[in-house]
Amino acid sequence: MTQPTRRALRFGLSLAPDASAPLVRIAQDADRYGLDLLGVRDRPYLRDTADALTLMATALAVTTRIRVLPAVACLPLRPPALLAKALATMDALSGGRVELGLGAGTFWDGVEAYGGPRLGGAAARRSLEEAVQIIRLHWSDQNGLRFQGEHHRFAAAQAGPVPAHQIAIWFGVTGPRALDLAGRVADGWIAPSSLVPPKRLADGQRRLDDAAARSGRSPSELRRVYLLEGSIDARDSRGFLHGPPRQWIYEMTELAVGHGVDTFLFGGHPEQLPVFALEVVPAVREQAARERRGLAAGPAGPAGHAAPAEAAPAG
């Protein structure tokens, strides 16, 4: 299992770009509540959804501190050079508040309906690897750029614009071969709780770590992002990430200390954002810090946290 992270924990919101929702206000609330990240889901083929990149730019313009990313960008409908230019522009204009979540593609019927290619698993992974090469090339300060791959090609006399900071690329993938690729070339992994529950998380972490180590990279350099697809309410537990705040505090602390997760994106209903940001997040920060100190204290280890009676164990 991945060793417990010593990174400062980050917390954010995964926002569905429902065009009928008060998207600007939600983004401002996430910023005002002190969250670190705003992830915007990118599924342009769904009816009545706002464009993810346009929403990101708007969110950056009306906030002051929160970082914004596509979580995750739909590569088959986002040519990598154009995606790189858009994100670099947003990063430069916002003073370095952009990251990139990138996926190989899913919901292929929708992708194809919107004019994108339908790719099999191996082809989608190769397309993703090529896209990362183009994006990083575009963000470089080199001249005379040229790339010719199986799925993407790119040529430009000059790169740019250059981002204000080194934008991280986090892969939103779940399959074993895609995790191998993430360990080799990405800066982190975005794992959705619906597809990667705690029982699968340890295996995914090991796969990611092994691939990174084989490539001569330190696994500790990779950020571990967990998408919390659940519901916070006052009723009794209805399973993992479906229950009262104290259950969420327990389960998220276990994910951070026991599973090495260092970043959380809340994917529940925006109406639950105040409880998540103002009640759950501070308690998880405090509890995780306490348990980390206990782990560092010596062989006796920490005084373990006790799960509430209705909490579903996170591992």
Side-chain angles (χ1 to χ4, degrees), residues 53 78-87 134 138:
L53 298 189
R78 302 286 184 187
L82 294 178
L83 180 62
K85 180 180 282 287
L87 294 179
I134 289 175
H138 200 287

Side-chain angles (χ1 to χ4, degrees), residues 9 16 23 29 49 78 119 161 179 186 199 232 254 272 285 314:
L9 296 180
L23 298 172
D29 286 346
T49 56
R78 302 286 184 187
L119 301 176
L179 282 169
K199 290 182 179 180
I232 306 173
E254 177 66 18
Q272 299 171 353
R285 288 190 194 276

Side-chain angles (χ1 to χ4, degrees), residues 4-270:
T5 180
R6 297 303 175 191
R7 290 179 185 265
L9 296 180
R10 288 183 180 179
F11 300 87
L13 171 67
S14 173
L15 179 61
D18 180 353
S20 65
L23 298 172
V24 171
R25 180 182 62 77
I26 294 169
Q28 291 174 314
D29 286 346
D31 187 54
R32 180 165 53 89
Y33 293 151
L35 292 181
D36 305 296
L37 295 164
L38 176 67
V40 179
R41 303 175 209 173
D42 186 26
R43 295 177 181 175
Y45 39 78
L46 294 182
R47 185 179 179 184
D48 295 331
T49 56
D51 176 68
L53 298 189
T54 304
L55 178 55
M56 285 176 56
T58 302
L60 288 165
V62 299
T63 58
T64 59
R65 51 170 301 281
I66 199 167
R67 293 177 178 270
V68 179
L69 70 150
V72 295
C74 179
L75 177 60
L77 295 174
R78 302 286 184 187
L82 294 178
L83 180 62
K85 180 180 282 287
L87 294 179
T89 301
M90 284 186 266
D91 196 63
L93 294 177
S94 67
R97 292 197 286 132
V98 172
E99 310 294 353
L100 171 58
L102 189 60
T106 186
F107 300 105
W108 292 107
D109 287 346
V111 167
E112 196 171 42
Y114 256 60
R118 180 185 290 268
L119 301 176
R125 290 189 297 274
R126 180 57 185 159
S127 174
L128 182 60
E129 184 173 10
E130 290 180 5
V132 171
Q133 293 175 270
I134 289 175
I135 290 168
R136 288 186 171 143
L137 192 64
H138 200 287
W139 290 340
S140 73
D141 57 1
Q142 302 178 45
N143 294 325
L145 306 179
R146 187 173 296 277
F147 180 90
Q148 181 69 50
E150 297 175 29
H151 301 279
H152 304 287
R153 59 186 176 85
F154 168 63
Q158 293 179 316
V162 178
H165 84 299
Q166 185 174 332
I167 297 175
I169 301 177
W170 303 333
F171 278 6
V173 296
T174 57
R177 293 181 179 85
L179 282 169
D180 289 342
L181 178 61
R184 288 194 290 109
V185 305
D187 300 306
W189 177 32
I190 302 176
S193 63
S194 60
L195 299 177
V196 189
K199 290 182 179 180
R200 288 192 58 196
L201 184 58
D203 290 339
Q205 298 271 41
R206 279 192 291 268
R207 189 112 193 176
L208 193 73
D209 292 349
D210 290 346
R214 287 195 303 269
S215 300
R217 309 175 70 197
S218 171
S220 64
E221 296 175 2
L222 276 64
R223 187 163 284 277
R224 323 298 170 114
V225 186
Y226 203 62
L227 175 55
L228 304 163
E229 298 169 302
S231 176
I232 306 173
D233 56 50
R235 297 186 296 273
D236 292 342
S237 172
R238 294 176 287 115
F240 179 58
L241 296 178
H242 288 274
R246 61 183 176 275
Q247 175 185 330
W248 277 67
I249 293 164
Y250 168 76
E251 291 174 340
M252 289 175 63
T253 301
E254 177 66 18
L255 287 163
V257 178
H259 289 267
V261 174
D262 54 52
T263 304
F264 296 93
L265 294 178
F266 177 66
H269 197 283

